[in-house]
Amino acid sequence: MKRILLISILLILGTEMFAQSFYSNRINRRWMATGGLGYARSLGDLTNPGSYFDTKLNIVGGIQYRVNNRVNVGLNLMAFQLSGDDQDIDPELNTRSRGLSFISNNLELSAITSLSLFPTETRFTQRRLFNPYVVAGIGVVLFDPRAEVPQYAIIGGDSIPAPRAGEMVSLRQYQTERPNDYGRFALVVPVGVGLRVKVTEFIDVTAQVSNRITFTDYMDDVSGRGYPERALFDLNNPEDITAAALSDPTGLGEIRGNPENNDHYFIVNVRAEFYIQGAFLNKIFGKGGKRYNIKPKRGRRGGGIFNRRRF
């Protein structure tokens, strides 16, 4: 009796699993969960033109929805790091060593739209093996450039010990260009190209290259051409001595930055895209994927000989 009951349970479970697998392949899935990683490179006033490998890691995740056979829309959240240092630049590149550097941990939230070169067939499982696409969007970035405080503030040829020498500090709070009271958020416009590769029925892998156009010149805390006057630093205030050391580490007071161009950053990503049923997301955003019913609808006119009513 126990054997019969066990066999019956296994048969029922097997039938149910087969039905679930068959049913999942009959759903035209429009939602995709995405995740991946890559590298980021700063393109600003502290970018060394001769260095193409001064890159940092980025991690990205998000959700996409297929609007039609060529257009996807989605939301992405990316954590990434940027850095720059001009202390070891090549003088043949017509750049200068100002003793400036920065490192910044950033978060970007963006809404994107992608347009594929080739249309997807009626069912998502029939999509092409390779499909190039272009992408554009708008977003906001949270940034906070930081740097190590030099040992001395060099003012008028005198070296004054910096109170916080050797510490990593947030540059924004010191207003190194006096005034440069920029905020921690900036608008960004992602634009780029990519290639989507079908790996399985439910998984794609994409390789994407994009540029982030920003509306700030302070991603690296450097913008203005000149240095602030020394009279703007109160040398009786330890915080101002630290600010002076960060503002002009060499004490030369030459050209600091270029205010005519905003900062950019360059992103390269490899991501996996998972096609999901999205029942929960459909309840939030509206009716999603179409279900294909292979059973003939009897009792209605039209639609083939299986749907004709017999009298």
Side-chain angles (χ1 to χ4, degrees):
M1 184 66 182
K2 291 183 179 180
R3 288 185 178 181
I4 296 175
L5 181 60
L6 179 60
I7 293 173
S8 300
I9 293 173
L10 291 175
L11 286 173
I12 293 172
L13 289 176
T15 304
E16 180 66 19
M17 290 176 64
F18 175 80
Q20 291 284 347
S21 176
F22 178 79
Y23 178 70
S24 67
N25 286 322
R26 307 302 299 177
I27 300 176
N28 190 20
R29 301 185 179 187
R30 293 182 178 271
W31 291 101
M32 287 161 280
T34 70
L37 50 81
Y39 70 82
R41 181 172 187 261
S42 173
L43 301 172
D45 293 287
L46 293 184
T47 300
N48 183 356
S51 173
Y52 299 99
F53 301 100
D54 184 16
T55 58
K56 299 296 182 181
L57 179 70
N58 72 69
I59 301 174
V60 63
I63 193 78
Q64 290 189 47
Y65 179 75
R66 183 162 54 90
V67 178
N68 57 40
N69 61 1
R70 294 182 66 189
V71 176
N72 290 357
V73 297
L75 285 174
N76 290 326
L77 181 63
M78 179 172 62
F80 64 103
Q81 191 177 78
L82 296 176
S83 67
D85 190 336
D86 67 0
Q87 293 184 8
D88 300 318
I89 59 176
D90 187 345
E92 295 182 359
L93 297 171
N94 296 319
T95 54
R96 59 206 172 279
S97 179
R98 298 151 290 184
L100 300 174
S101 64
F102 88 102
I103 189 168
S104 179
N105 296 319
N106 315 286
L107 277 177
E108 178 195 283
L109 178 65
S110 60
I112 57 96
T113 300
S114 65
L115 176 65
S116 298
L117 179 62
F118 303 114
T120 301
E121 300 295 336
T122 304
R123 290 172 58 186
F124 79 102
T125 54
Q126 298 173 331
R127 62 192 184 279
R128 292 175 180 262
L129 179 60
F130 298 100
N131 201 347
Y133 63 90
V134 295
V135 63
I138 190 168
V140 62
V141 61
L142 169 66
F143 65 102
D144 183 25
R146 301 171 65 83
E148 182 179 328
V149 179
Q151 293 294 320
Y152 300 95
I154 304 174
I155 300 175
D158 297 327
S159 298
I160 304 174
R164 302 187 64 180
E167 295 183 29
M168 290 294 295
V169 297
S170 175
L171 291 165
R172 184 174 65 92
Q173 64 179 332
Y174 287 100
Q175 297 191 38
T176 54
E177 294 186 356
R178 303 263 160 145
N180 59 336
D181 53 345
Y182 55 89
R184 296 188 64 186
F185 294 89
L187 289 176
V188 296
V189 176
V191 290
V193 296
L195 176 66
R196 181 173 287 109
V197 180
K198 179 182 177 181
V199 178
T200 71
E201 285 190 344
F202 303 108
I203 299 176
D204 289 340
V205 171
T206 65
Q208 183 174 300
V209 178
S210 61
N211 183 33
R212 260 54 174 187
I213 303 169
T214 77
F215 291 85
T216 181
D217 196 23
Y218 286 105
M219 294 287 294
D220 52 13
D221 189 64
V222 179
S223 177
R225 290 187 182 278
Y227 290 82
E229 296 180 2
R230 294 307 180 188
L232 296 176
F233 298 97
D234 181 5
L235 300 184
N236 293 318
N237 183 345
E239 289 295 287
D240 269 20
I241 296 176
T242 299
L246 291 166
S247 176
D248 187 6
T250 64
L252 299 177
E254 297 178 350
I255 296 175
R256 179 175 166 90
N258 181 8
E260 297 180 0
N261 298 316
N262 286 336
D263 294 330
H264 296 222
Y265 52 97
F266 186 73
I267 299 292
V268 175
N269 271 326
V270 176
R271 287 190 272 186
E273 298 180 341
F274 304 89
Y275 287 78
I276 57 178
Q277 292 189 24
F280 174 72
L281 296 171
N282 289 335
K283 292 179 182 179
I284 298 176
F285 297 105
K287 187 175 180 180
K290 179 179 177 183
R291 296 181 179 181
Y292 289 84
N293 188 354
I294 62 173
K295 295 181 180 179
K297 298 180 179 178
R298 301 183 183 276
R300 296 183 181 179
R301 295 182 180 181
I305 60 174
F306 296 103
N307 291 334
R308 293 178 181 175
R309 181 176 296 178
R310 296 180 181 274
F311 296 96

